């Protein structure tokens, strides 16, 4: 499978106290480990994104512990209360140990 | 062509369904209770209803991608906030779907995602609040198995 | 064990076959349009229903597959961020500028800014190639460029790269009406495609028209039949959990009626694609559409 690509939609600016909404999507097959290869009859090994984290200025604001029932190309929408300017960091952890990240800046006025 | 009666068609259909139902993975699914997961999540504490709302379609066009949104009533302050929300699909081969972890920085205890449902079943969302109380919402989603897979 | 599985499979197949064969008679009678609520429009699209370009067509109204889907499936196509098809479109954009092959060139080397050079291209495919004296689908056109222009290897029909590139190029024509050439040298191909469309094949002895012309808007078991239009392809299908080509969809349809499918890229599927594009002329390109 090609390398997973994250997509993030987060606001660039907000007023202090605003609740901002963030949407994230990443390309990933989310193989459950419950399917069999139709030709060989062997179980296809599990490979999912098992953790998603959203941090702001290094502090976790939201995270998800993921099991196999989250759909392929996982989508998450969540919120944050904008208190100060800073940087978001979004982190996806793959079963195979790979980490995919994306950053986004927010200016609060 | 000779038309089959409706009854005959149903009998044929259910025979086929029965044959498929006996597969070991299905038996495993029934044997793994969502209850154990819930007990682990709450530490055996009682769960109240209310405060949490779970929005899912009544009928899912395809079980591979079923949208879900949940909202928990909470001021989301440092002293009073929602810690986490677990989503459980009772009829899936693995009942655990995901656990969403919040902090008071989240602003609101609301999130959306998309999930897989193996068949028509109940989906349960349980929230743990910072004061150690638990609230639950439950909704049934019918999963249509289409005639045209393609 | 093997024997039991085989018996099970056979009995299931038999039951399914009988159900499918009789299901035509048990179809829920829903007049096209009755259960179709107005859920707005897909992103970037101004209308999902058009009048046919000519009077001799079989349909009074041409309707995008969008119209037949549930609110939740439609929602996925109403927001370009939430539409997972864009994961492929974005990869296609990257590939556009990625050098490949012995000549050290990328698509960009010849075609420069795709927003200009490729606008409308996807709406006119498949297109007649005067040099090769045959029509080419978008996939075939991309591969011609790769082998001749870049000195690169062909991409496989259903490869991630091909799906990304075709989704990217078709997306640049989003909102533009499908406008395939149907006269001149294309005429025999339209005829060939039409012939395939109306020919009953497979164990269930069905043609494309049995579902998508005679019964669209009705339910076949739990599935709400569409007109089988091609304007949203490559399409993100919930069932596939990824984007897929029109020819993959053709294959699936043929398997459903228990026929031996033609191969993606075969003259039969190319002709069928041309006929469908002609049949849906005027319908706006929705790529990447989201379907169930």
């Amino acid at each position: 499978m090609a390398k997973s690509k994250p997509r993030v939609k987060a606001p660039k600016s907000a007023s202090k106290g605003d609740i901002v909404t963030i949407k994230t999507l990443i390309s990933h097959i989310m193989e459950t480990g419950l399917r069999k290869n139709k030709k060989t009859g062997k179980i296809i090994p599990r490979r999912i994104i098992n953790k998603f984290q959203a941090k702001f200025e290094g502090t976790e604001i939201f995270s998800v512990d993921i099991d196999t029932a989250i759909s392929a190309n996982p989508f998450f929408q969540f919120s944050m209360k904008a208190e100060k300017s800073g940087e978001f960091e979004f982190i996806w952890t793959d079963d195979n140990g790979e980490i995919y990240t994306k950053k986004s800046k927010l200016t609060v006025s | 062509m000779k038309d089959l009666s409706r009854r005959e068609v149903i009998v044929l259909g259910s025979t086929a369904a029965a044959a498929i139902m006996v597969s070991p993975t299905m038996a495993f699914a029934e044997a793994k209770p969502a209850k154990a997961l819930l007990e682990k999540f709450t530490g055996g504490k009682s769960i109240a209803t209310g405060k949490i709302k779970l929005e899912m379609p009544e009928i899912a066009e395809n079980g591979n991608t079923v949208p879900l949104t949940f909202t928990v009533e909470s001021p989301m302050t440092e002293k009073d906030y929602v810690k986490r929300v677990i989503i459980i699909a009772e009829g899936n081969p693995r009942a655990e779907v995901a656990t969403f972890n919040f902090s008071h920085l989240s602003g609101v205890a609301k999130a959306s995602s998309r999930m897989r449902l193996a068949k028509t079943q109940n989906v349960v969302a349980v929230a743990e609040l910072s004061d150690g109380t638990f609230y639950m919402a439950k909704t049934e989603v019918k999963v249509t198995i289409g005639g045209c897979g393609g | 064990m093997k024997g039991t599985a085989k018996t099970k499979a056979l009995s299931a197949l038999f039951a399914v076959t009988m159900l499918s064969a009789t299901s035509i008679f048990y179809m829920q009678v829903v007049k096209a349009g009755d259960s179709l609520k107005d859920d707005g429009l897909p992103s970037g699209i101004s209308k999902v229903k058009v009048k046919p370009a000519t009077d001799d067509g079989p349909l009074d109204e041409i309707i995008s597959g969008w119209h037949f889907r549930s609110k939740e499936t439609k929602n996925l196509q109403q927001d370009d961020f939430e539409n997972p098809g864009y994961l492929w479109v974005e990869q296609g954009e990257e590939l556009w500028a990625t050098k490949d092959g012995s000549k050290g060139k990328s698509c960009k080397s010849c075609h420069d800014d795709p927003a200009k050079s490729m606008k409308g291209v996807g709406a006119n495919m498949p297109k007649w190639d005067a040099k090769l004296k045959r029509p080419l689908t978008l996939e075939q056109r991309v591969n011609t460029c790769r082998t001749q222009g870049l000195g690169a290897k062909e991409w496989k029909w259903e490869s991630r790269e091909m799906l990304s590139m075709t989704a990217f190029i078709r997306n640049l024509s989003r909102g533009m009406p499908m406008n395939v050439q149907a006269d001149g040298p294309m005429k025999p191909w339209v005829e060939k495609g039409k012939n395939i469309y109306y020919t009953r094949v497979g164990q269930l002895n069905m043609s494309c028209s049995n579902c998508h012309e005679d019964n669209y808007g009705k339910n076949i078991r739990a599935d709400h039949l569409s007109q089988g239009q091609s304007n949203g392809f490559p399409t993100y299908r919930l069932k596939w959990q990824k984007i897929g080509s029109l020819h993959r969809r053709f294959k699936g349809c043929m398997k459903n009626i228990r026929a031996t499918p033609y191969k993606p890229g075969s003259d039969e599927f190319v002709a069928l694609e041309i006929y469908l594009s002609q049949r849906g002329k005027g319908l706006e390109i929705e790529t990447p559409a989201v379907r169930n």
Side-chain angles (χ1 to χ4, degrees):
Chain A
M1 191 176 72
K3 203 171 155 60
S4 286
K5 298 280 282 183
R7 282 185 102 201
V8 169
K9 191 180 183 182
K12 297 270 176 276
S13 62
S15 300
K16 192 173 159 60
D18 276 359
I19 293 186
V20 296
T21 301
I22 299 127
K23 295 178 186 184
T24 68
L25 192 63
I26 189 166
S27 59
H28 200 283
I29 190 166
M30 297 295 280
E31 188 60 59
T32 60
L34 301 168
R35 291 199 310 158
K36 275 182 184 169
N37 180 316
K38 278 179 198 162
K39 281 177 194 148
T40 64
K42 280 192 185 139
I43 297 272
I44 304 168
R46 180 184 123 151
R47 190 185 154 194
I48 65 168
I49 298 277
N50 58 51
K51 179 97 185 167
F52 168 73
Q53 277 176 292
K55 291 180 179 175
F56 189 73
E57 289 295 289
T59 308
E60 181 177 302
I61 50 167
F62 174 81
S63 72
V64 191
D65 301 308
I66 304 167
D67 213 287
T68 52
I70 289 294
S71 302
N73 309 310
F75 168 80
F76 296 110
Q77 180 175 329
F78 52 94
S79 306
M80 186 190 77
K81 194 169 184 184
E83 297 283 8
K84 57 178 182 188
S85 297
E87 191 173 48
F88 288 109
E89 187 183 13
F90 306 100
I91 307 155
W92 292 260
T93 309
D94 195 310
D95 269 351
N96 71 1
E98 274 188 80
I99 308 266
Y100 318 104
T101 61
K102 192 135 184 164
K103 287 179 180 177
S104 170
K105 281 205 167 79
L106 174 74
T107 308
V108 173
S109 52
Chain B
M1 105 181 225
K2 177 186 171 282
D3 278 0
L4 282 172
S5 74
R6 194 180 163 79
R7 185 170 301 268
E8 277 166 330
V9 171
I10 290 167
V11 167
L12 275 171
S14 55
T15 313
I20 293 161
M21 290 296 278
V22 201
S23 77
T25 46
M26 293 298 286
F28 181 68
E30 298 306 324
K32 181 159 186 176
K35 222 174 142 190
L37 256 178
L38 264 185
E39 264 166 29
K40 196 177 151 215
F41 184 77
T42 61
K45 283 193 188 163
S46 63
I47 307 171
T49 51
K51 284 207 179 189
I52 179 164
K53 198 171 84 184
L54 176 63
E55 292 168 73
M56 294 190 75
E58 207 178 310
I59 300 170
E61 240 179 349
N62 187 292
N64 281 340
T65 310
V66 188
L68 80 141
T69 297
F70 62 81
T71 319
V72 192
E73 283 171 39
S74 165
M76 295 303 272
T77 59
E78 244 170 293
K79 283 187 181 152
D80 185 1
Y81 65 99
V82 176
K83 281 172 91 170
R84 44 186 195 144
V85 174
I86 191 170
I87 306 291
I88 296 169
E90 293 178 342
N92 270 4
R94 281 176 61 81
E96 189 165 0
V97 177
T99 305
F100 295 77
N101 306 296
F102 294 90
S103 73
H104 70 275
L105 299 167
S106 305
V108 286
K110 178 178 179 174
S112 301
S113 188
R114 299 167 190 160
M115 65 178 287
R116 292 168 169 153
L117 288 172
K119 57 177 180 181
T120 295
Q121 58 181 287
N122 285 320
V123 178
V124 176
V126 180
E128 181 186 3
L129 273 50
S130 54
D131 64 0
T133 55
F134 293 88
Y135 292 88
M136 175 165 91
K138 193 184 221 178
T139 184
E140 193 197 36
V141 183
K142 292 185 179 74
V143 177
T144 55
I145 310 293
C148 297
Chain C
M1 184 59 213
K2 217 176 177 183
T4 330
K6 201 174 171 189
T7 318
K8 265 188 224 170
L10 271 176
S11 65
L13 175 67
F14 176 65
V16 170
T17 309
M18 294 314 287
L19 275 172
S20 308
T22 49
S23 64
I24 302 292
F25 306 108
Y26 289 119
M27 264 185 202
Q28 215 179 303
V29 185
V30 183
K31 239 177 73 195
D34 274 9
S35 65
L36 308 174
K37 288 183 297 281
D38 181 16
D39 286 324
L41 288 167
S43 172
I45 303 299
S46 71
K47 51 185 176 298
V48 289
K49 287 179 176 182
V50 292
K51 290 276 166 235
T54 53
D55 292 336
D56 56 4
L59 303 167
D60 297 333
E61 196 175 29
I62 302 168
I63 309 169
S64 162
W66 147 274
H67 211 71
F68 300 90
R69 302 281 53 96
S70 74
K71 190 170 168 283
E72 290 75 24
T73 309
K74 284 176 174 174
N75 279 347
L76 288 173
Q77 208 190 318
Q78 281 181 309
D79 181 317
D80 287 350
F81 184 83
E82 294 187 20
N83 181 345
Y86 274 90
L87 290 164
W88 281 260
V89 172
E90 281 183 357
Q91 214 208 340
E93 189 174 9
E94 253 176 55
L95 286 169
W96 181 266
T98 308
K99 285 183 183 155
D100 198 3
S102 59
K103 299 184 184 171
K105 294 201 287 188
S106 69
C107 307
K108 195 176 188 302
S109 313
C110 294
H111 301 288
D112 199 23
D113 180 6
K116 285 181 193 148
S117 63
M118 290 295 127
K119 193 177 168 64
V121 169
N124 302 330
M125 301 302 285
K127 201 174 174 185
W128 185 256
D129 188 295
K131 237 195 257 172
L132 297 169
K133 295 194 172 62
R134 59 159 297 146
L136 295 181
T137 66
L138 187 51
E139 290 86 352
Q140 292 167 331
R141 191 71 196 82
V142 166
N143 269 342
T144 310
C145 266
R146 284 184 58 77
T147 52
Q148 294 174 12
L150 308 184
K153 266 196 195 156
E154 287 193 351
W155 279 328
K156 286 200 175 126
W157 199 274
E158 211 64 31
S159 65
R160 188 179 173 89
E161 289 81 6
M162 182 59 91
L163 291 168
S164 299
M165 184 55 76
T166 51
F168 171 62
I169 295 174
R170 276 271 272 196
N171 178 251
L172 291 166
S173 299
R174 193 175 70 166
M176 295 173 75
M178 284 209 290
N179 189 25
V180 72
Q181 186 197 349
D183 55 5
M186 290 292 272
K187 212 173 170 196
W189 286 82
V190 176
E191 286 305 315
K192 184 184 166 83
K194 185 177 179 181
N195 197 17
I196 292 168
Y197 192 88
Y198 286 103
T199 304
R200 287 176 178 266
V201 290
Q203 283 181 327
L204 299 189
N205 197 30
M206 288 167 81
S207 68
C208 308
S209 63
N210 290 151
C211 285
H212 299 294
E213 182 174 309
D214 305 339
N215 287 300
Y216 69 86
K218 294 179 189 166
N219 277 5
I220 184 160
R221 298 181 69 204
D223 235 345
H224 198 195
L225 286 169
S226 75
Q227 285 186 347
Q229 298 290 357
S230 60
N231 59 315
F233 281 88
T235 284
Y236 188 93
R237 274 193 83 202
L238 305 186
K239 183 197 154 66
W240 294 335
Q241 305 184 64
K242 63 181 291 213
I243 216 163
S245 73
L246 179 61
H247 292 200
R248 180 179 180 188
R249 190 67 189 88
F250 287 163
K251 252 173 80 178
C253 271
M254 290 192 78
K255 279 187 192 162
N256 288 334
I257 55 170
R258 301 188 199 291
T260 306
Y262 300 115
K263 289 208 161 39
S266 62
D267 284 357
E268 288 83 0
F269 275 173
V270 172
L272 188 56
E273 178 173 349
I274 293 167
Y275 175 64
L276 278 191
S277 310
Q278 160 66 6
R279 216 178 141 87
K281 208 167 208 166
L283 216 48
E284 290 176 24
I285 302 284
E286 290 179 24
T287 310
V290 182
R291 302 288 186 256
N292 62 323

